[in-house]
Structures are given as structure tokens and as C-alpha cells.
Amino acid sequence: MTANAQRAFVLSLLVLLMAGTRINHFAPIPDASWAVFFIGGFYLRSWTRWAFPLLMALAVAVDWAVISSQGMSFWQHYCVSAAYWMLIPAYFAMWAGGMLLRRYYKAASWQSLGMLAGTLIGSVALCHLIAQGSFYWISASVAEPTFAGWASNYADWLLPYLRTAALYTGAAALVQVVVEVAGKQPATDRVAH
């Protein structure tokens, strides 16, 4: 399989994952959007110019479809305000974290696992800072914003978002390791008997 075919396959999986999980942020199957952007940055770094905007457009389209299906106007929904557009830099923080990890990634190892943990935690913390911070300070949803209120809100939601991103990213990392290990075996060992 060519490199472009592999990227197209990964992009297709990410589109399906986001479309399938973004429909309800608090469903039993949590929203994979943050992990999708991190994984996308790792695997689709050379396609950033068009893959990132495509995934952003998909995120907005899913949000619009979900809100509209509830009989509400997109622009009058609680989650949509001027701060909504801050999702672009927030999600790019996730994408950039994936690109940074890919830049230094050599092969599956304990060192790579440490780099994955560090870049994922940093990316989620920054993404959450931008997304939650802009919503808290810019939207009209918070009547009287205070620094203490913002800090409390940030802390309350950081770990749940990190847990969800780590769940999906960990699954992708596991697949990466399996593919690397399988690729190191001689071709005759990979043929089913």
C-alpha cells in the first residue's frame, strides 16, 4: 500500500470516528473529536493544508446537523457563540501535538510512549484552555465571569477530556505497535496457514 493510500485510509477512519461519536458529546460512546485531531496530526502531517480544514468542516457540519435535528437554530444554541470559532485554534493545538510527536517518533518504545503521554497531555491542556477559556470569557453563557470561576471550570473538565482523548489515542497507539511488530516479521510468518 502506498503512503498516500495509507493516509487516505487513516483519514477515512478518522472521518467515520468523528462522525460516529460527535453526535452526542455525553453519550455512552464519548466524542472522539480531540483524539481525531491529535491522531490526524500524527498520521496526516503532510496533508495538513487540506485534511485539517476537512475535519474542521466535518465537526461543524455534525454540530449543525445535531442542533438542527433538535429543531433549534444553530446560532441560538447554548454551545454556539462567538467563542465557537475558537475551536479552530483549539483543535489545531491537538493537531500540532500529533505533528510534534510524529516529528520525533522513531518506533514503538518506552521513550515513544513517554513522548506520546507528554504531547497528548500538553495538547489537551492547551486545547481545553482555548476552547473552555473562550467559551467562559466570550460567550454570554456565563453571567459574571471571574478568574476563580474560570479556574474551577477548567479544572473540573480537564480530566474528563484528557481521559477521553487518551482512550482513543491509546487505542490508535496500540494499533500502531501491532502494525510495527507485524511488519518486522518475515513475510512467510505473516501468511495464514
Side-chain angles (χ1 to χ4, degrees):
M1 185 182 292
T2 67
N4 280 339
Q6 289 173 343
R7 287 184 195 102
F9 178 71
V10 168
L11 180 59
S12 299
L13 291 177
L14 294 177
V15 164
L16 290 172
L17 182 60
M18 187 184 321
T21 62
R22 192 173 176 90
I23 57 173
N24 186 347
H25 295 288
F26 301 104
I29 299 174
D31 179 12
S33 297
W34 291 23
V36 162
F37 284 101
F38 187 85
I39 296 165
F42 183 82
Y43 288 106
L44 306 173
R45 183 172 71 162
S46 64
W47 285 6
T48 297
R49 269 184 263 161
W50 67 272
F52 178 79
L54 175 81
L55 289 171
M56 275 305 312
L58 175 62
V60 173
V62 170
D63 290 349
W64 179 84
V66 168
I67 291 168
S68 297
S69 71
Q70 297 171 354
M72 301 171 75
S73 167
F74 180 74
W75 296 108
Q76 294 176 346
H77 190 270
Y78 171 79
C79 290
V80 180
S81 69
Y84 183 80
W85 301 110
M86 293 302 290
L87 289 180
I88 296 169
Y91 288 172
F92 195 77
M94 296 302 297
W95 189 275
M99 289 192 319
L100 180 65
L101 177 62
R102 183 57 169 203
R103 181 176 182 184
Y104 295 104
Y105 184 82
K106 303 289 185 246
S109 65
W110 290 111
Q111 180 182 4
S112 294
L113 180 62
M115 288 186 336
L116 168 62
T119 55
L120 183 63
I121 290 168
S123 298
V124 167
L126 182 57
C127 178
H128 185 53
L129 179 70
I130 296 167
Q132 179 271 346
S134 63
F135 182 79
Y136 186 87
W137 293 106
I138 297 173
S139 76
S141 298
V142 180
E144 295 182 29
T146 64
F147 183 79
W150 166 79
S152 175
N153 188 274
Y154 181 87
D156 289 346
W157 288 98
L158 179 60
L159 287 180
Y161 278 108
L162 179 59
R163 187 178 322 118
T164 299
L167 174 79
Y168 289 111
T169 305
L174 185 59
V175 170
Q176 174 72 29
V177 169
V178 168
V179 168
E180 283 184 31
V181 169
K184 290 180 183 175
Q185 294 178 353
T188 55
D189 292 348
R190 287 185 266 146
V191 177
H193 295 284

